[in-house]
Amino acid sequence: MTIARQMRIHAYGGPEMFSSDKVELPEPGPGEVLVRQHAAGVNFIDVYHRKGVFPIPALPGAIGVEAAGEVVVCASDVSSLKPGDRVAYAGPPVGSYADMRVMKAKSLVLIPETLSFEEAASIMLKGMTVHMLMTRVRPLSAGQTILVHSAAGGLGQLLGQWASSIGVRVIGTVGSAEKAEIARESGCSETILYNECDFVDRVQNLTDGSGVDAVFEGLGGDILTRSLNCLKPFGHAINLGQVGKPLDAVALADLGPQRSLTVSVPGVFAHLRTCPDLQEAADEMFAQVTSGAMKPRIGERFALSNVAAAHAKLEAGRTAGAIVLLP
């Protein structure tokens, strides 16, 4: 019998709803493995799960969608993994805030020996999101220019690093001089303090009125619709979340034909679910890390039992880089 410690919610609400529960895990069934988790990532979607914006399958239940650890036990029909393998995952089912977990083997990817468990847990979801953007949503090439909102955030840093490594000019919006420095270290050639100027005017000034090839934002509200005014003809606006407010409606008539714009609202879970070869896709992302093009930046580490403090800090916007939980 395996007993896991899970940080679960018994009702939806604030960070104070977390409780540390001991839960008996079933033996791995067909296609499953038991994983001892060494680090779990914290992402804003976890806040939506905790609040019930995106309800979890059942209450009480653990949340979290990203972790890394080692395989302990494999079901007899699992041949792709073996005990001792170093693995990571991102995506459903929720429940990564735990020290042990039973997972489908097909949901796990092997991680490079040079990557620590903490780094793997901090980069899987965001790294695979950037992989989706760069290979599937808006492939970029040298000489193009993009605007990245929240460029000092965990996702913004990785996107800026990958894009700049292939010769893309990256302009980033940030909320402070301190975050501007982080954004510059992460590939931004120019930064915009959005509290001090209108980012649309500043982008037009920086591009001599031509605009950018693509905009990436996860804030919601009117940021997406205002960002359309930053794009050049045939430009692409990509929304990756609604941290601030729900998305405004976008009228198709506002996109073309004169402006010839495209808007996307892609989801990384759909990308992970439909990858023809998940390990191959993860290896492409890991190659960016092992080559030095992308550098995981862990902003803070919290004990698993102190996840409430991690959520409070994340919601307050007082983070720079990824947050990881350590059992």
Side-chain angles (χ1 to χ4, degrees), residues 120-283:
S122 75
I123 203 172
M124 270 300 295
L125 190 69
K126 299 178 185 69
M128 291 306 293
T129 300
V130 176
H131 178 272
M132 170 189 73
L133 297 173
M134 298 292 289
T135 65
R136 202 167 189 175
V137 176
R138 179 67 191 215
L140 299 170
S141 57
Q144 293 185 316
T145 302
I146 63 172
L147 174 66
V148 178
H149 289 287
S150 300
L155 177 61
Q157 289 180 48
L158 297 179
L159 177 56
Q161 289 169 2
W162 190 332
S164 63
S165 74
I166 61 172
V168 173
R169 178 189 180 191
V170 183
I171 302 170
T173 69
V174 293
S176 68
E178 179 184 17
K179 290 189 174 183
E181 181 60 30
I182 293 172
R184 283 191 289 269
E185 292 173 355
S186 301
C188 287
S189 56
E190 295 94 5
T191 56
I192 299 170
L193 292 174
Y194 58 78
N195 290 321
E196 297 182 4
C197 65
D198 181 83
F199 72 82
V200 176
D201 290 342
R202 185 62 178 145
V203 166
Q204 292 298 333
N205 179 264
L206 288 171
T207 60
D208 296 324
S210 64
V212 299
D213 294 280
V215 175
F216 301 85
E217 68 87 21
L219 300 170
D222 67 347
I223 298 299
L224 178 67
T225 49
R226 291 175 61 205
S227 293
L228 296 177
N229 297 318
C230 297
L231 292 169
K232 62 176 60 173
F234 296 97
H236 194 164
I238 298 106
N239 171 264
L240 296 162
Q242 298 85 50
V243 172
K245 297 179 181 178
L247 287 175
D248 284 352
V250 177
L252 290 178
D254 291 341
L255 302 180
Q258 290 272 358
R259 302 167 83 189
S260 300
L261 304 181
T262 302
V263 174
S264 295
V265 188
V268 67
F269 293 163
H271 177 54
L272 294 169
R273 187 177 65 249
T274 59
C275 276
D277 188 325
L278 183 58
Q279 184 68 58
E280 181 180 359
D283 286 344

